[in-house]
């Protein structure tokens, strides 16, 4: 049997769509924030959550692109509740402004999907002087989660509905720098590796979710925190590399191989 079509314990396979996985679910009354919702996995997540009745807040860097995605969603789903708000994860000021603006809407927050990211970029520093991949994939989402956490705790407590935080990680977390996360060398350009820096940021996503989960259990908070590998999916995350690039091919082969062996899981 073709391995990607084999169904797992959940009853779904790599070929299962978001619509199939959420069939029969009613998200009416729930509010979700999806970062990076203007393309790829993020836009499909926003669309299907809207289809299931969830009020979706699209957190996007480019408002024009986000507005186009929203228009397409509303055209397909006339009853959809979708808002578009600007969020640049490379800027801590932008993250703080987004969180403040969201709080001013007086909306509950049931679901936070930390999806936005960049992959294997040339060495660059963020607006705050942090290596771009670590800043975008981890630090920005870490701060965003922290700033929204009180709202999520209040929402779960008042609604009696368990909250959800999802960090979109990657099988690439298995291939960081040799020492793991180089906290004392985050901005070391001389030792920078674009793929290992990506793996480092994805490892941080997992550790973040694990620690949140531990703290929620310790505090008795009704929120779950999970990280996941979405699979090898062709999106504009690959914009910095061609499939003809040997390094990219090697990394993708390693990721796909580990995934087919069943070595990745939802943490």
């Amino acid at each position: 049997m073709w391995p990607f079509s084999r169904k797992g314990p959940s009853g779904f396979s790599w070929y299962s769509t978001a619509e199939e996985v959420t069939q029969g679910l009613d998200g009416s009354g729930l509010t979700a924030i999806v970062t990076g919702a203007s393309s790829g996995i993020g836009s499909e997540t926003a669309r299907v959550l809207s289809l299931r009745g969830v009020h979706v807040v699209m957190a996007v860097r480019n408002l024009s692109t986000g507005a186009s995605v929203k228009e397409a969603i509303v055209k397909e789903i006339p009853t959809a509740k979708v808002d578009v708000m600007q969020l640049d994860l490379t800027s801590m000021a932008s993250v703080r402004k987004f969180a403040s603006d969201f709080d001013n809407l007086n909306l509950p927050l049931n679901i936070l999907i930390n999806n936005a990211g960049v992959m294997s970029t040339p060495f660059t520093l963020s607006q705050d002087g942090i290596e771009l991949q670590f800043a975008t994939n981890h630090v920005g989402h870490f701060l965003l989660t922290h700033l929204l956490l009180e709202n999520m705790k209040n929402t779960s407590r008042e609604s009696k509905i368990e909250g959800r935080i999802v960090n979109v990680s990657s099988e690439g977390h298995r291939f960081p720098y040799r020492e793991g996360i180089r906290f004392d060398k985050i901005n070391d350009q001389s030792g920078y590796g674009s793929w290992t820096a990506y793996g480092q940021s994805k490892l941080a996503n997992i550790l973040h979710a694990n620690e949140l989960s531990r703290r929620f259990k310790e505090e008795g908070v009704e929120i779950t925190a999970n990280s996941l590998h979405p699979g090898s999916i062709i999106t504009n995350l690959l914009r910095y590399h061609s499939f003809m690039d040997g390094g990219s091919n090697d990394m993708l082969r390693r990721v796909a191989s580990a995934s087919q062996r069943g070595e990745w899981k939802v943490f």
Side-chain angles (χ1 to χ4, degrees), residues 77-187:
I77 312 161
T79 58
K81 296 179 181 178
V82 184
D83 292 312
V84 179
M85 296 176 62
Q86 190 164 40
L87 172 65
D88 183 349
L89 289 162
T90 70
S91 165
M92 298 305 102
S94 176
V95 174
R96 291 184 183 279
K97 184 178 186 305
F98 174 90
S100 177
D101 289 346
F102 180 80
D103 283 344
N104 290 336
L105 296 176
N106 294 315
L107 289 172
L109 182 57
N110 305 91
I111 304 166
L112 173 60
I113 301 178
N114 292 320
N115 161 77
V118 292
M119 183 174 74
S120 189
T121 65
F123 181 83
T124 312
L125 295 180
S126 72
Q127 295 182 39
D128 300 287
I130 304 170
E131 188 276 310
L132 187 66
Q133 294 191 80
F134 200 73
T136 306
N137 298 347
H138 174 59
V139 178
H141 281 131
F142 182 95
L143 177 60
L144 178 67
T145 303
H146 172 72
L147 295 173
L148 296 173
L149 205 49
E150 199 58 37
N151 185 326
M152 292 198 73
K153 288 180 179 179
N154 290 336
T155 298
S156 67
R157 184 167 51 247
E158 294 170 7
S159 68
K160 309 298 182 185
I161 299 173
E162 191 175 69
R164 294 282 188 274
I165 296 174
V166 179
N167 287 349
V168 178
S169 182
S170 167
E171 182 65 27
H173 82 275
R174 297 182 183 277
F175 312 109
Y177 294 102
R178 181 171 298 179
E179 60 268 48
I181 298 177
R182 307 194 309 175
F183 288 107
D184 58 340
K185 297 180 180 180
I186 292 295
N187 295 340

Side-chain angles (χ1 to χ4, degrees), residues 167-240:
N167 287 349
V168 178
S169 182
S170 167
E171 182 65 27
H173 82 275
R174 297 182 183 277
F175 312 109
Y177 294 102
R178 181 171 298 179
E179 60 268 48
I181 298 177
R182 307 194 309 175
F183 288 107
D184 58 340
K185 297 180 180 180
I186 292 295
N187 295 340
D188 179 15
Q189 184 173 3
S190 64
Y192 179 77
S194 62
W195 283 108
T196 45
Y198 175 71
Q200 170 180 253
S201 70
K202 295 289 100 179
L203 175 58
N205 290 157
I206 293 172
L207 296 177
H208 179 211
N210 287 356
E211 179 60 17
L212 282 172
S213 182
R214 185 191 68 79
R215 294 190 182 199
F216 291 154
K217 290 178 182 178
E218 188 176 83
E219 298 170 13
V221 175
E222 293 299 315
I223 300 174
T224 63
N226 299 278
S227 57
L228 60 86
H229 166 56
S232 300
I233 301 171
I234 306 303
T235 71
N236 65 5
L237 188 68
L238 297 169
R239 61 188 175 276
Y240 291 100

Side-chain angles (χ1 to χ4, degrees), residues 4 6-27 44-45 47-49 51-52 113 164 166 228-230 233 264 266:
F4 294 170
R6 185 176 62 244
K7 293 183 178 181
S10 66
F12 301 108
S13 72
W14 279 43
Y15 282 127
S16 299
T17 66
E19 287 194 29
E20 291 171 344
V21 172
T22 60
Q23 185 66 43
L25 296 182
D26 182 6
E44 178 65 0
T45 300
R47 184 187 73 82
V48 176
L49 286 175
L51 183 66
R52 303 308 176 209
I113 301 178
R164 294 282 188 274
V166 179
L228 60 86
H229 166 56
I233 301 171
W264 69 270
V266 175

